[in-house]
């Protein structure tokens, strides 16, 4: 197998402890977040009349703001846990879990940096996908966040203020 030495293109060996200390944290965080999101949505639907009264009494809280916040929470619930599980499965598929044989074995070749031609690691669609998803998920999450809050009415007002301030200074 050409990719035998490539592993999961990570800087650390896949030990059992590394999964608990580093890789698997989004799962419990996602479960806590999913619990709170579900409880919030349930309470919202149970107390819809109270929510309408709260909305009418507080001018800063609008339904659109609340809806965007709940939408962002729902997107987080839908994607955090499945994508983390997918990431862990791909890491295990590409680089099996390291069997600890002592610190000397673990750190052997630690300073050695291997280089692989893109042709080699692009032969496997899973390693290519794993390599690029780690980089593009951050951009995707930023775009999703901007989609929820960047096109809101109050955001557009602030964009207009910045535009007119710059236009006045630049003539």
């Amino acid at each position: 197998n050409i990719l035998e030495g490539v592993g999961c293109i990570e800087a650390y060996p896949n030990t059992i402890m590394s999964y608990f200390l580093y890789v698997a944290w989004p799962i419990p965080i996602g479960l806590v977040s999913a619990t709170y999101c579900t409880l919030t949505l349930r309470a919202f639907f149970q107390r819809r009349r109270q929510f309408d009264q709260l909305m009418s009494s507080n001018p800063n809280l609008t339904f659109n703001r609340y809806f965007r916040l709940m939408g962002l929470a729902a997107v987080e619930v839908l994607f955090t846990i499945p994508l983390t599980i997918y990431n862990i499965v791909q890491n295990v598929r590409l680089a099996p879990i390291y069997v600890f044989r002592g610190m000397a074995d673990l750190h052997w070749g630690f300073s050695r940096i291997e280089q692989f031609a893109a042709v080699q690691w692009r032969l496997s669609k899973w390693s290519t996908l794993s390599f690029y998803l780690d980089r593009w998920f951050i951009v995707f999450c930023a775009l999703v966040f901007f989609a929820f809050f960047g096109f809101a009415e109050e955001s557009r007002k602030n964009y207009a203020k910045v535009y007119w301030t710059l236009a006045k200074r630049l003539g």
Side-chain angles (χ1 to χ4, degrees), residues 5-124:
V6 175
C8 63
I9 313 171
E10 297 275 346
Y12 59 89
N14 288 325
T15 62
I16 293 289
M17 191 60 83
S18 71
Y19 283 104
F20 291 113
L21 294 176
Y22 180 72
V23 178
W25 276 107
I27 292 176
I29 291 170
L31 289 172
V32 169
S33 177
T35 302
Y36 280 118
C37 182
T38 304
L39 291 173
T40 302
L41 289 173
R42 189 173 131 231
F44 170 71
F45 288 120
Q46 286 177 347
R47 296 179 181 93
R48 177 72 184 192
R49 286 191 199 109
Q50 291 175 350
F51 181 74
D52 291 336
Q53 291 172 352
L54 175 68
M55 298 294 280
S56 63
S57 67
N58 189 348
N60 291 329
L61 185 63
T62 65
F63 181 75
N64 287 336
R65 284 184 184 170
Y66 189 79
F67 178 74
R68 285 193 310 267
L69 190 59
M70 288 298 106
L72 185 64
V75 166
E76 192 269 336
V77 165
L78 292 174
F79 288 103
T80 298
I81 295 171
L83 289 177
T84 301
I85 291 171
Y86 173 80
N87 185 33
I88 291 172
V89 168
Q90 290 308 312
N91 279 335
V92 170
R93 280 189 61 199
L94 294 172
I97 295 177
Y98 171 80
V99 177
F100 184 74
R101 294 182 204 96
M103 294 302 281
D105 183 59
L106 178 67
H107 291 136
W108 179 86
F110 192 72
S111 62
R112 187 173 135 219
I113 299 172
E114 294 187 49
Q115 294 183 0
F116 297 92
V119 172
Q120 285 181 317
W121 59 265
R122 284 186 180 151
L123 286 175
S124 167

